[in-house]
Amino acid sequence: MGEMTLVWRHLPRPLCLVTSTLRILEMRPFLSLGASWKSVTKLGLHTRPKMPPCDFTPEKYQSLGYNRVLEIHKKHLSPVVTAFFQKPLLLHQGHMEWLFDAEGNRYLDFFSGIVTVSVGHCHPKVNAVAQKQLGRLWHTSAIFFHAPIHEYAEKLAALLPEPLKVIFLVNSGSEANDLAMLMARAHSNNIEIISFSLPGFSLLSYSVDQELDPILLLFLLCRGAYHGCSPYTLGLTNVGTYKMELPGGIGCQPTMCPDVFRGPWGGSHCRDSPVQTIRKCSCAPDCCQAKDLYIEQFKDMLNTSVAKSIAGFFAEPIQGVNGVVQYPKGFLKEAFELVRARGGVCIADEVQTGFGRLGSHFWGFQTHDVLPDIVTMAKGIGNGFPMAAVVTTPEIAKSLAKRLQHFNTFGGNPLACAVGSAVLEKSRQPLPQEEVNKIHEDCKNMGLLVGKGGIFAQTFRIAPPMCITKLEADFAVEVFHSALTQHMERRAK
């Protein structure tokens, strides 16, 4: 039991696993929830929270019936089960943070189409730009110049540090990572590329004479990096459900994922997240013992499992599909140095973390204080429009050009670039004074008085009397939301 506890104590807490041997697994409610369970009961277990208001009315659904949709899906679409929920939602319309199904039900979208809708469903500003470009020019391919691609390239390059200034536009995250792999190999003249695989706690918590339960072994193996599902990127992806018996992704080498929550090393001060592992940490503020141990494992992999020279190393700044895994502080910085010492390039997969998704920085790699050689991006880049990019240095771009006349038929088409440009305009520039004044007036007309401030009078100052109630605060939020919505609709026109 002692050996087993080292592993199972890292499972999420709503349930714990209780067993006398590794072959008998039984799930029971976690026993220490009694006190909190009673407090929840007092609030009413069946009380449904009131959904925030929405001032948008969807169109009436007038298309295929639900049963007909199921029939067509079963007959003509992929048999791979990917839809959420026992009864999959038949979505009809979207507006900003809201989704509406065919029955008219409204849902607050907290997944954004798998971290893709970055500025809101059918954002009026993005819609207006797309419709305008749609009526002008859809497609030309890269054999002709067109202004949208050059305007977009300049805007995107301005958001990345030197020397990451050369942009290759493609159509999906998998395609971007495919191209990044090709770049790394063309530039380094090496083959092997490293990505994260097993969770840190792997088999180290077991004595050598223990026989692993198949369910437990599956749990151990089905977690790691996700970089796409194309034949090329499947070698980088180390999530069990995306692995298959057929060969693919030749030349990809997995290494231990430095996960301080599920791994053998890590404690309460090993990462920036407020939600930490349950283990205590004796690390000093300027050092991390878990990071040092994971780096030693990384060095061991480099010394024993790959050639003396490698092509590159892929890392998501924060792992997405693997369950929002953060690495110990300082790990990526040292790992990048080790990779470059072996002749490899460092690739940051920003498909899910880029374009401001992390809040504190525009790019995830900035949170690690590192500068990649290649950055791949997709999803939020086009707010749901199929678009992706690879950004690299002039030197690496030239290495690829010497080896391959790379061409992409749809990458960087006028419509995609127009949409991408609209998404990038989340600007810090102050609004024109007349627009600020109009929002201010709209609030007043709905019964809310707010102040203005800032150098350009572009900041709304909200400082109510301290006797304000929650009901009144909710009213103020609704008014301000309505005023901003009216502002966005005016800009779209």
Side-chain angles (χ1 to χ4, degrees), residues 156-175:
L156 182 59
L159 294 168
L160 287 147
E162 292 283 356
L164 295 169
K165 297 298 179 182
V166 184
I167 300 166
F168 293 75
L169 293 171
V170 291
N171 306 288
S172 72
S174 294
E175 193 176 354

Side-chain angles (χ1 to χ4, degrees), residues 5 43 47-48 69 146 239 296 298 354 363 376 424 461 479:
T5 304
L43 297 175
T47 301
R48 182 173 180 172
V69 166
H146 57 85
V239 179
E296 285 303 312
F298 194 79
W363 304 109
T376 61
L424 286 184
R461 301 180 64 190
V479 169

Side-chain angles (χ1 to χ4, degrees), residues 10 12 25 85 100 108 111 165 337 354 426 459 474-475 484:
H10 302 302
L25 300 178
F85 310 117
F100 302 85
L108 182 59
F111 197 30
K165 297 298 179 182
E337 292 172 359
K426 295 181 275 180
T459 302
D474 290 342
F475 166 74
L484 291 175

Side-chain angles (χ1 to χ4, degrees), residues 197 218-226 234 237-245 321-322:
S197 180
L218 180 65
F219 181 82
L220 290 169
L221 295 178
C222 290
R223 296 184 178 273
Y226 182 83
L234 275 177
T237 293
N238 291 302
V239 179
T241 51
Y242 296 96
K243 287 297 187 183
M244 56 190 299
E245 293 80 8
V321 173
N322 191 22

Side-chain angles (χ1 to χ4, degrees), residues 132-278:
K132 186 175 180 180
Q133 186 64 45
L134 200 62
R136 180 182 294 156
L137 181 67
W138 285 25
H139 176 74
T140 64
S141 203
I143 57 175
F144 300 109
F145 285 178
H146 57 85
I149 191 172
H150 297 89
E151 292 170 355
Y152 180 71
E154 188 173 50
K155 289 179 183 178
L156 182 59
L159 294 168
L160 287 147
E162 292 283 356
L164 295 169
K165 297 298 179 182
V166 184
I167 300 166
F168 293 75
L169 293 171
V170 291
N171 306 288
S172 72
S174 294
E175 193 176 354
N177 285 336
D178 272 342
L179 180 55
M181 294 175 75
L182 200 59
M183 283 180 177
R185 286 168 171 160
H187 182 69
S188 66
N189 286 313
N190 298 316
I191 296 297
E192 289 185 293
I193 297 179
I194 300 165
S195 65
F196 290 132
S197 180
L198 295 178
F201 71 80
S202 65
L203 308 182
L204 296 175
S205 300
Y206 289 87
S207 59
V208 293
D209 60 340
Q210 284 179 307
E211 184 179 354
L212 290 177
D213 186 275
I215 298 176
L216 174 59
L217 185 59
L218 180 65
F219 181 82
L220 290 169
L221 295 178
C222 290
R223 296 184 178 273
Y226 182 83
H227 297 290
C229 203
S230 66
Y232 216 27
T233 57
L234 275 177
L236 295 176
T237 293
N238 291 302
V239 179
T241 51
Y242 296 96
K243 287 297 187 183
M244 56 190 299
E245 293 80 8
L246 301 177
I250 304 300
C252 297
Q253 173 64 39
T255 189
M256 181 187 288
C257 178
D259 182 349
V260 301
F261 182 75
R262 295 184 178 90
W265 310 300
S268 55
H269 301 296
C270 290
R271 59 183 187 182
D272 295 325
S273 170
V275 181
Q276 302 290 354
T277 176
I278 59 174

Side-chain angles (χ1 to χ4, degrees), residues 384-415:
F385 195 91
M387 184 180 186
V390 181
V391 185
T392 189
T393 67
E395 184 182 9
I396 294 176
K398 288 176 183 176
S399 295
L400 179 68
K402 290 177 183 177
R403 309 287 289 272
L404 176 71
Q405 187 176 350
H406 179 266
F407 182 82
N408 191 295
T409 300
F410 296 105
N413 67 77
L415 186 55

